[in-house]
Amino acid sequence: MSDSPDILEPAADSGPGLGLGEPPQPAAPESAQPYRVLARKYRPQSFAGLIGQDAMVQTLGNAIKRDRLAHAFLLTGVRGVGKTTTARLIAKALNCVGPDGEGGPTIDPCGTCEPCVAIAEGRHIDVVEMDAASHTGVDDVREIIEAVRYSAVSARFKIYIIDEVHMLSKNAFNALLKTLEEPPPHVKFLFATTEVNKVPVTVLSRCQRFDLRRIPADKLAALFRSILEQEGAEAEDEALALIARAAEGSARDGLSILDQAIAHGTDGVTAAQVREMIGLSDRGAVRALFGQLLAGEAQAVLATIQEQHDLGTDPASLFRGLLETAHGIVRAKVGGADDPALSAEERAAFADWASRLGFAPLHRIWQLLLKGLHEVETAPMPLEAAEMALLRIVHAAGLPDPGELARKFESGEMTTAAAPAQTGSEKGGGPQGAFPPTYAAMVKMVADSMIDDESWRTAQFLERDVRLVRYEPPHLVIHPTKPRDEEFFRDLGRLLREETGQAWTVETSDERGEPSLLEQEQAALNAERESILQSPMVKAAFGAFPDAELIDYKLASGGAA
């Protein structure tokens, strides 16, 4: 696990920082400390320095005050939110003796007593840290089991911090269970993991669990600004917002990027340098591209994609920027709280789009962008996949909204007049746009479409396993007697649209409806057979030959057998 800096003050043992733009310094003496990266230099030294973990700190504070300390704690969360740091702070809180050496456990360790200093420097004999990634076996755990029998040498509690605990083997976990459930009163276990789902339930049930939260982007940006002031460096607000977004809630990741950005720039940290450094798309270019997608400008879209690619922008990053834009517009439309990391230009653009776009097209664009992002991330040619996905959105932007079409049909603004006819060679049927006069004719049209084998199976299902509730082209309401998924009915609507040239709506209903076509056909055959059996001639024949059977019959043109 990791160094997880979430503080506003540097560590007590931190060395001098590198100031940006400072005059050259003379060569440092050999005894000077080497440069320490920001992620280690600004590691929290107290619970007050943790960012975004107020609930956990309050719970621990109350437990210490009321002497209700658990014997094992499990700290989980994404990388860089402070799991290892929190474990060390808990160790300090439990073993602090205060400046006068008479203090007890406290949520505010002094940081100056011998236990606090030794734990901060990682040299306390009673605070043992173990990396489970490199000590996975039962023998490693057996050493802990043997050692817990002995009291602490100089501290109040003997504490075992096991990092990435999910890496322990099954046998190692099983060996630890008994000791973990009933440890000696002088022992505390602190576990940390990024993959809590891999920790056995038997272990989880024996621990008090704390889920460390992702740090909000605005708090990360404020942290970075404070650290830059202490480092004597400058940065644009947009640059810090970009770094905070790229960190995805991890203080350590953000500080690593910030460290790199300070070294990358020569005149402060700028947004352009950050984008170039980590391959982020320019947010202004993303907004321009989003506008081109809405306008259906295919050539402009291709030119923008190529321009961003030439600048080193990852196509997947471009799609994430478009997704953020669509999300921001929807939030603006529903009146959600403004993202403090957004610039004034972004807020104005989002508000303008929100006033002009409906929810339906925004959600459609969101789904298309999600699909495009997946294609880009998995395609062997990401740039080409990005172009194809965005051109698909351009095409969709020019299509009429289905809801608006339905409204126009209902209001009479649009009629179901037949479209221009196609030849039989073009479509294998009659004129496209002409609706079949009956449900049975529609099923026959589906069967004769010859698009693929699936259309024949669809026709069989409609004939055998569907009861008609209402047939009002282009509106079809049916009651399936066998379950089919929603995709089947969407495909049916698509097939009908291709055959008639008009958009269909296919709905299912709980109403029983008419008998299926197969049931109707069978009923007609049974009625016909019964009518023959009841005819005088056939009755007379059966009277003369009681064991006779009606095997087959043929009706004359007048209906007689």
Side-chain angles (χ1 to χ4, degrees):
M1 196 166 35
S2 49
D3 301 320
S4 314
D6 296 334
I7 60 163
L8 297 179
E9 73 274 8
D13 60 340
S14 61
L18 290 182
L20 196 62
E22 296 177 353
Q25 300 294 324
E30 293 184 0
S31 60
Q33 292 185 0
Y35 175 70
R36 302 178 69 204
V37 296
L38 300 180
R40 295 191 61 196
K41 182 177 180 180
Y42 291 94
R43 174 189 288 252
Q45 298 301 307
S46 67
F47 283 105
L50 287 176
I51 295 177
Q53 315 301 340
D54 297 340
M56 179 199 68
V57 174
Q58 180 179 356
T59 302
L60 283 173
N62 291 339
I64 291 174
K65 290 177 182 177
R66 299 168 186 171
D67 194 21
R68 299 180 62 88
L69 287 168
H71 57 269
F73 298 90
L74 177 68
L75 306 172
T76 180
V78 299
R79 71 207 180 279
V81 293
K83 297 184 292 296
T84 301
T85 296
T86 301
R88 292 173 182 172
L89 290 177
I90 293 175
K92 290 168 64 175
L94 297 182
N95 284 327
C96 178
V97 296
D100 58 359
E102 300 295 331
T106 174
I107 195 64
D108 297 311
C110 66
T112 58
C113 65
E114 175 57 26
C116 285
V117 174
I119 293 172
E121 295 177 355
R123 57 177 176 82
H124 200 291
I125 192 172
D126 292 318
V127 178
V128 181
E129 292 192 32
M130 187 182 87
D131 176 23
S134 55
H135 300 81
T136 63
V138 67
D139 290 337
D140 301 301
V141 171
R142 189 175 291 117
E143 293 181 9
I144 296 177
I145 297 172
E146 293 295 327
V148 297
R149 295 185 300 172
Y150 304 102
S151 299
V153 176
S154 61
R156 185 178 296 110
F157 294 104
K158 179 179 284 190
I159 296 176
Y160 291 91
I161 300 175
I162 303 181
D163 201 0
E164 300 299 344
V165 69
H166 66 273
M167 299 292 287
L168 288 178
S169 67
K170 181 179 179 180
N171 289 337
F173 273 124
N174 290 335
L176 187 61
L177 284 180
K178 184 62 177 178
T179 301
L180 183 61
E181 184 170 21
E182 299 178 0
H186 61 272
V187 174
K188 302 291 182 184
F189 288 97
L190 303 176
F191 301 142
T193 179
T194 53
E195 300 184 51
V196 69
N197 58 302
K198 293 184 179 180
V199 179
V201 177
T202 50
V203 173
L204 294 176
S205 64
R206 290 166 167 82
C207 299
Q208 190 171 102
R209 173 174 168 176
F210 291 106
D211 291 82
L212 276 65
R213 300 174 179 269
R214 289 179 185 268
I215 305 171
D218 57 334
K219 291 187 176 182
L220 281 178
L223 170 67
F224 300 156
R225 172 63 66 191
S226 174
I227 289 176
L228 283 173
E229 291 175 357
Q230 297 179 62
E231 292 290 310
E234 298 292 334
E236 296 177 356
D237 290 338
E238 185 179 359
L240 297 183
L242 289 173
I243 296 174
R245 278 199 183 93
E248 297 181 344
S250 168
R252 185 181 68 246
D253 286 8
L255 286 179
S256 297
I257 298 173
L258 181 63
D259 223 338
Q260 183 181 355
I262 294 175
H264 180 80
T266 56
D267 189 23
V269 180
T270 66
Q273 290 171 344
V274 172
R275 291 192 188 96
E276 179 183 359
M277 185 182 70
I278 58 180
L280 292 176
S281 56
D282 176 57
R283 298 187 71 81
V286 169
R287 293 196 302 274
L289 178 58
F290 195 87
Q292 294 162 1
L293 290 173
L294 294 178
E297 300 172 355
Q299 293 294 333
V301 167
L302 292 177
T304 301
I305 296 174
Q306 188 61 50
E307 178 184 355
Q308 290 297 301
H309 184 265
D310 293 341
L311 292 173
T313 302
D314 179 32
S317 173
L318 196 63
F319 269 79
R320 293 188 187 97
L322 290 169
L323 283 166
E324 287 181 4
T325 301
H327 176 256
I329 296 171
V330 173
R331 282 182 60 88
K333 192 169 184 66
V334 299
D338 287 336
D339 184 349
L342 294 178
S343 63
E345 293 81 3
E346 287 176 304
R347 291 192 182 96
F350 290 174
D352 178 58
W353 276 320
S355 65
R356 294 189 285 114
L357 295 173
F359 285 109
L362 285 172
H363 288 307
R364 187 162 64 242
I365 290 173
W366 174 265
Q367 293 297 329
L368 290 170
L369 286 171
L370 276 181
K371 179 177 176 59
L373 175 61
H374 176 71
E375 292 174 354
V376 169
E377 291 178 334
T378 58
M381 299 181 294
L383 177 61
E384 288 77 2
E387 291 179 347
M388 294 299 292
L390 292 182
L391 288 176
R392 185 166 61 230
I393 297 176
V394 168
H395 175 69
L399 295 177
D401 181 68
E404 183 65 17
L405 283 178
R407 187 191 65 77
K408 289 183 177 181
F409 276 123
E410 292 176 359
S411 64
E413 296 179 40
M414 183 176 292
T415 63
T416 58
Q422 292 180 323
T423 65
S425 61
E426 290 175 319
K427 199 56 185 172
Q432 189 182 28
F435 292 125
T438 63
Y439 175 72
M442 185 210 77
V443 175
K444 185 177 185 304
M445 180 190 70
V446 172
D448 294 342
S449 64
M450 298 300 290
I451 294 178
D452 50 31
D453 293 339
E454 186 62 29
S455 62
W456 174 252
R457 288 191 290 269
T458 299
Q460 285 187 315
F461 180 79
L462 294 174
E463 181 182 0
R464 301 176 180 179
D465 304 312
V466 166
R467 293 174 176 268
L468 176 65
V469 177
R470 188 161 59 255
Y471 181 71
E472 299 172 351
H475 188 203
L476 175 64
V477 183
I478 56 179
H479 172 74
T481 58
K482 290 185 178 180
R484 295 300 290 264
D485 56 27
E486 293 184 1
E487 185 177 356
F488 169 82
F489 300 105
R490 287 197 298 268
D491 290 342
L492 174 60
R494 173 185 56 78
L495 191 151
L496 293 174
R497 183 180 68 248
E498 293 174 355
E499 287 299 311
T500 64
Q502 299 289 343
W504 282 67
T505 58
V506 180
E507 299 179 7
T508 59
S509 173
D510 293 332
E511 296 183 37
R512 182 173 179 80
E514 302 176 3
S516 69
L517 294 179
L518 183 62
E519 290 172 336
Q520 293 180 32
E521 181 182 353
Q522 189 63 48
L525 290 175
N526 291 339
E528 185 179 275
R529 180 182 178 88
E530 185 62 27
S531 67
I532 292 173
L533 290 174
Q534 296 301 321
S535 67
M537 184 179 298
V538 174
K539 279 188 173 183
F542 275 106
F545 304 98
D547 296 330
E549 293 182 9
L550 181 62
I551 298 175
D552 196 6
Y553 60 88
K554 182 178 181 181
L555 296 177
S557 58

